[in-house]
Amino acid sequence: MKNSLIMTICIAAALTMTACSSNDAQKAAEDMLVKAEKYFNEGSYDRAKIAIDSLRKVYPGAVETRKKALRLFQNISLKEAQEDLALTDSILQRVTLDYKYIKDKVEKDKAALRATPDELELLTRTKMKLDSLKVRFDMQCAKIKYIHKKQKE
């Protein structure tokens, strides 16, 4: 009787301590998520992702908070991809114009047999840059589509 009473008290104390520490961990995880959201709203995406990564590692049991953090991580990734896409698009437009201008000039010089090796090299380098930007643009578009698809799931 005495042993079972002591055992019951020990179990109750352990459950109480676990509940308190679980609540404390949940609160700390929520605080870390709030910090990550603050960084995101400030445009500090790297810091926000670091906070989310820390939340995942330190509080693996805070499932609901981690789900919210995953949605925030997707929003951060989406925002980064959209900003990079806009930048890539503006550079792509400029390089496309440069390429067309250089190509027209080189074709005229070739027809007049005045094309220099430097002109041909510049044309080639500009074409390589243009192709690289197109690939980057396509990759960012695909990334944005993928993130949207994951957000719908």
Side-chain angles (χ1 to χ4, degrees):
M1 174 81 170
K2 195 174 191 182
N3 284 340
S4 82
L5 180 60
I6 292 174
M7 185 63 113
T8 304
I9 292 173
C10 288
I11 290 172
L15 288 174
T16 303
M17 290 173 62
T18 303
C20 290
S21 66
S22 175
N23 288 340
D24 291 343
Q26 184 65 32
K27 174 73 173 118
E30 287 287 336
D31 290 345
M32 198 171 282
L33 179 61
V34 168
K35 186 182 288 188
E37 289 170 341
K38 177 181 165 265
Y39 290 143
F40 171 66
N41 292 331
E42 292 172 352
S44 182
Y45 305 134
D46 288 338
R47 292 176 83 185
K49 289 192 290 188
I50 289 169
I52 291 170
D53 188 48
S54 296
L55 185 154
R56 289 176 179 164
K57 289 179 183 174
V58 176
Y59 304 106
V63 176
E64 290 305 313
T65 305
R66 290 183 63 185
K67 286 180 183 178
K68 292 176 189 174
L70 176 61
R71 285 190 291 276
L72 179 60
F73 190 86
Q74 289 172 337
N75 289 335
I76 293 167
S77 298
L78 179 63
K79 190 72 172 169
E80 285 178 324
Q82 289 170 334
E83 288 178 4
D84 189 63
L85 180 67
L87 177 63
T88 302
D89 184 47
S90 65
I91 296 169
L92 182 60
Q93 290 178 29
R94 183 183 49 79
V95 172
T96 300
L97 292 174
D98 290 348
Y99 176 72
K100 287 178 182 178
Y101 173 78
I102 295 166
K103 184 178 177 190
D104 289 345
K105 183 176 182 328
V106 167
E107 285 176 0
K108 287 178 186 174
D109 287 348
K110 275 183 177 180
L113 301 173
R114 293 181 292 174
T116 66
D118 289 340
E119 284 180 315
L120 296 172
E121 183 179 346
L122 179 61
L123 179 64
T124 302
R125 289 185 184 278
T126 306
K127 177 65 171 146
M128 289 170 44
K129 186 174 185 178
L130 181 63
D131 291 344
S132 175
L133 286 166
K134 286 179 181 178
V135 168
R136 182 175 176 156
F137 183 88
D138 291 343
M139 291 294 294
Q140 291 303 332
C141 287
K143 185 175 183 179
I144 289 168
K145 286 179 186 176
Y146 180 77
I147 293 169
H148 281 302
K149 179 183 171 189
K150 283 297 189 183
Q151 286 178 327
K152 289 179 183 178
E153 292 177 357

